[in-house]
Amino acid sequence: MCEYCGCQSLTAIDDLTREHDAVVDLIGHVRDAHRAGDIDLTARLARRIGAVLEPHTQVEEHGLFPALADDFPGQMAALEAEHRRIEAVLGEAANGTPRDAAWPDRLIRALDLLREHILKEQDGVFPAALATLSTEQWEEIEAVRARVGTRMEQAAG
């Protein structure tokens, strides 16, 4: 995705970007499963997306977003609200395939939102962070990552 500003040279942003890339790949698989009418596979893939996003969201909401909130309060609040909307739909598949016949279409809409959300982060949040955050703030973001880890193995299945 984004490579123009150099923000991926920072480990924190590189990790978040790799997670975005994994999620985008999984979204493609969800779309394929949805088109094929394979709701069970769609639900399994939704759980994999949720597993990758869980630590990713923690890093953003407990590290990156608070560091940017003074300068961009409305934008950070809007991104967190999008997290909740996406998590709610992904969470419907947490314990198996949802029985609600409308869920697959709701998931596709949530994943459309997620794609837009990723672009906002990569084209707006990450470059803004590169330009404005101090070394101490980057260290705090790295500390959050150290606490929550990563679940990239979930992307591979």
Side-chain angles (χ1 to χ4, degrees):
M1 290 197 177
C2 165
E3 296 178 4
Y4 64 86
C5 71
C7 59
Q8 291 177 0
S9 64
L10 294 167
T11 300
I13 297 301
D14 185 55
D15 289 346
L16 292 168
T17 299
R18 283 187 295 107
E19 289 164 342
H20 281 167
D21 291 345
V23 166
V24 168
D25 186 53
L26 287 167
I27 289 171
H29 293 297
V30 168
R31 291 186 191 290
D32 292 342
H34 182 258
R35 276 191 296 277
D38 190 339
I39 306 306
D40 290 332
L41 178 57
T42 299
R44 284 194 303 276
L45 290 165
R47 287 190 293 278
R48 288 173 55 191
I49 291 170
V52 172
L53 288 178
E54 193 271 321
H56 175 95
T57 300
Q58 294 295 314
V59 170
E60 289 179 344
E61 292 187 0
H62 298 285
L64 185 60
F65 293 179
L68 292 167
D70 286 345
D71 293 325
F72 307 100
Q75 292 91 335
M76 296 306 105
L79 291 170
E80 287 192 28
E82 288 176 359
H83 284 170
R84 299 295 83 77
R85 289 175 52 202
I86 294 161
E87 288 169 349
V89 177
L90 291 172
E92 292 180 58
N95 296 314
T97 303
R99 301 294 171 229
D100 180 352
W103 177 78
D105 290 332
R106 203 165 42 252
L107 176 65
I108 294 300
R109 287 191 303 276
L111 295 179
D112 289 343
L113 172 62
L114 179 53
R115 287 284 285 132
E116 293 171 18
H117 179 91
I118 287 170
L119 291 174
K120 289 175 196 173
E121 290 180 350
Q122 294 204 178
D123 293 343
V125 174
F126 296 172
L130 179 65
T132 62
L133 298 187
S134 68
T135 300
E136 293 77 21
Q137 288 169 309
W138 286 113
E139 288 171 353
E140 177 53 31
I141 294 166
E142 291 290 341
V144 173
R145 174 62 79 179
R147 285 192 301 274
V148 302
T150 183
R151 297 244 178 91
M152 287 297 292
E153 68 278 1
Q154 295 296 319

